[in-house]
Amino acid sequence: IADSTEAFRVLNVPSINNKGTVAFTATPYSGGHGVYTGSGGAITTIADSTGEFRLFFQPSINDKDIVASIAVLDNGYPRVVLKGSGGPLTRIAELTPPTIVDLNTLSINNSGSVAYITHDDLSYNDATLFIGDGENTTFITDTCGPFQAIGYVSINDSGVVAFSALYDYWSGYGIYKSDGGPLITVADTSDIFSNVSSSVMNNEGVVSFFGLTNSGVRGYFNGDGVAIDKVVDDSGEISSFYFGHSINDNNDIAFLASLDSGGTGLFSANNTELNSVIMFGDALNGSELAGIELGFSPMNNAGQIAFLGYLSDGTHGIYVATPVPPNAPPICDSATPSILSLWPADFNFVKVQLLGVTDPDDDPLKLTIIGIYQDEPVNDRANGNFMPDAMGVGLSLIHISEPTRLC
């Protein structure tokens, strides 16, 4: 998408939407800072530091290519939540001192609603979670009640927000979701877990989170407030996990991990399958991958994963890994011979081709005859003692002697 060999000196972790458009913040070689989008071609500037803003954080992009971001003012404090798509910017929130925006988390849905956290002082203690769209603001929760800290917000298209929280005077951890009404507990440390964190949610209301069980098993789990399913943990092939993961609407997750057998890299997984996407040391952009960072929404419904990759030649860039679908077999249900009947019965061979075979991937086809069968004696009385009645095994067409019937 972009790298440090051309327009940008420093690039930061990206997010991706279901169209494959990637949003990221970066520092150009020409100076300043900005929010940008791209999908492998031209780069679009969403916002930059040519005006009142100095820096931008946590870009989140929806399927309309609208990007939400946190903006730091020239005075050095993050007080504005913005959204835009390359034209005029909409201010979701503009805070007054001493209130600031949490730089670590932000999320936008396809309606343009943005979930964000504010702090009432520089100590980051008094936190409040809001949803805003530029016109209306909805309160979700704060740290004046049961919670001492909140973070890792994500909002889906139903307007539901998932978040992680600390409770019980910093001794308990929980994952919750709400649309402004009652809180729904997805997971907490009152039962099988001793720690839960890093929540991300899809449009089905399923929240993926990192959990440490009371038995010492670490892994990623999916929960909806009713049931919890293990996706992957360190009791199998995985030895350790690293910060950053995502979930799509298929309940597939993307994450960073190391293997028991050695090697570290980017993986995807569901309840039944673990897939290696790219490993440290793999070839990438004329060099080798040496490191990866993931953002908060790096995976879309097509399974594409956007990541910040560091290469062994000292460069870094924003890359998208796209799954290669398995090769589908040809469709032979409509196969038919090019000639349905032969006449007159002069016992001469006639070329017959097979038609109607297609490939769902539009791959080139090569047909090979592996057998020829007939429902009448090969050499019967009064047939002129001509044998064989057909030839062509191992070829792409057959030769059939008249008057053989074809079906």
Side-chain angles (χ1 to χ4, degrees), residues 44 50 64 73 82 101 107 119 150 243 246 263 276 285 341 345 350 366 372:
T44 299
T50 56
K64 299 176 182 178
L73 296 169
L82 305 170
V101 184
S107 179
H119 296 276
I150 50 179
F243 179 80
S246 183
S276 171
N285 201 23
S341 63
V350 176
K366 179 181 179 181
I372 303 172

Side-chain angles (χ1 to χ4, degrees), residues 13 45 52 103 118 136 149 234 246 263 271 313 316 360 367 381 403:
V13 290
T45 300
E52 61 182 306
L103 292 177
T118 67
N136 302 298
D234 60 3
S246 183
N271 289 339
D313 62 7
H316 66 286
L367 303 180
R381 292 180 299 172

Side-chain angles (χ1 to χ4, degrees), residues 188-226:
D188 61 24
T189 52
S190 65
D191 191 7
I192 64 172
F193 295 104
S194 60
N195 195 353
V196 291
S197 64
S198 302
S199 55
V200 288
M201 180 174 59
N202 65 17
N203 282 318
E204 305 303 316
V206 176
V207 183
S208 182
F209 61 93
F210 182 79
L212 171 62
T213 69
N214 293 329
S215 60
V217 175
R218 293 172 171 83
Y220 288 110
F221 302 82
N222 290 346
D224 58 4
V226 177

Side-chain angles (χ1 to χ4, degrees), residues 76-404:
Y77 291 107
R79 304 198 193 280
V80 181
V81 178
L82 305 170
K83 69 177 180 181
S85 57
L89 297 169
T90 299
R91 299 192 178 211
I92 304 299
E94 189 167 2
L95 308 177
T96 57
T99 307
I100 61 174
V101 184
D102 188 334
L103 292 177
N104 297 309
T105 184
L106 185 79
S107 179
I108 188 172
N109 66 12
N110 285 326
S111 297
S113 295
V114 179
Y116 60 96
I117 296 174
T118 67
H119 296 276
D120 287 342
D121 56 45
L122 297 181
S123 66
Y124 274 61
N125 286 331
D126 298 326
T128 306
L129 172 57
F130 294 102
I131 299 174
D133 59 11
E135 296 181 358
N136 302 298
T137 301
T138 301
F139 168 85
I140 301 298
T141 191
D142 60 22
T143 54
C144 295
F147 302 129
Q148 282 75 58
I150 50 179
Y152 297 110
V153 302
S154 58
I155 185 171
N156 66 14
D157 288 346
S158 299
V160 177
V161 178
F163 62 96
S164 304
L166 290 171
Y167 66 93
D168 196 18
Y169 299 100
W170 302 90
S171 64
Y173 303 85
I175 307 294
Y176 307 89
K177 61 181 183 177
S178 173
D179 60 0
L183 294 175
I184 297 173
T185 301
V186 176
D188 61 24
T189 52
S190 65
D191 191 7
I192 64 172
F193 295 104
S194 60
N195 195 353
V196 291
S197 64
S198 302
S199 55
V200 288
M201 180 174 59
N202 65 17
N203 282 318
E204 305 303 316
V206 176
V207 183
S208 182
F209 61 93
F210 182 79
L212 171 62
T213 69
N214 293 329
S215 60
V217 175
R218 293 172 171 83
Y220 288 110
F221 302 82
N222 290 346
D224 58 4
V226 177
I228 295 175
D229 297 317
K230 181 196 75 175
V231 181
V232 62
D233 63 28
D234 60 3
S235 65
E237 299 177 60
I238 302 294
S239 61
S240 55
F241 298 92
Y242 304 99
F243 179 80
H245 87 291
S246 183
I247 185 173
N248 64 17
D249 291 345
N250 304 314
N251 292 343
D252 301 322
I253 69 169
F255 60 96
L256 301 174
S258 293
L259 297 173
D260 285 330
S261 58
T264 298
L266 176 61
F267 297 84
S268 65
N270 52 38
N271 289 339
T272 60
E273 189 176 16
L274 174 67
N275 298 301
S276 171
V277 177
I278 188 169
M279 301 293 290
F280 291 8
D282 285 352
L284 182 62
N285 201 23
S287 184
E288 293 182 351
L289 182 65
I292 291 181
E293 287 186 49
L294 289 182
F296 285 103
S297 51
M299 187 182 198
N300 65 17
N301 290 340
Q304 292 180 302
I305 304 172
F307 63 93
L308 177 61
Y310 296 91
L311 306 187
S312 59
D313 62 7
T315 64
H316 66 286
I318 305 294
Y319 300 93
V320 173
T322 300
V324 177
N327 187 44
I331 300 173
C332 302
D333 296 346
S334 299
T336 183
S338 59
I339 301 174
L340 296 179
S341 63
L342 300 176
W343 194 259
D346 56 8
F347 299 100
N348 291 318
F349 281 102
V350 176
K351 293 181 179 179
V352 180
Q353 294 179 303
L354 290 180
L355 306 176
V357 180
T358 60
D359 188 89
D361 302 319
D362 292 326
D363 293 333
L365 290 173
K366 179 181 179 181
L367 303 180
T368 301
I369 309 301
I370 60 173
I372 303 172
Y373 304 91
Q374 65 185 60
D375 60 357
E376 59 189 5
V378 175
N379 188 26
D380 202 3
R381 292 180 299 172
N383 71 354
N385 196 30
F386 288 94
M387 291 178 61
D389 291 338
M391 298 183 297
V393 174
L395 304 177
S396 60
L397 54 81
I398 58 177
H399 295 75
I400 297 180
S401 173
E402 300 169 309
T404 304

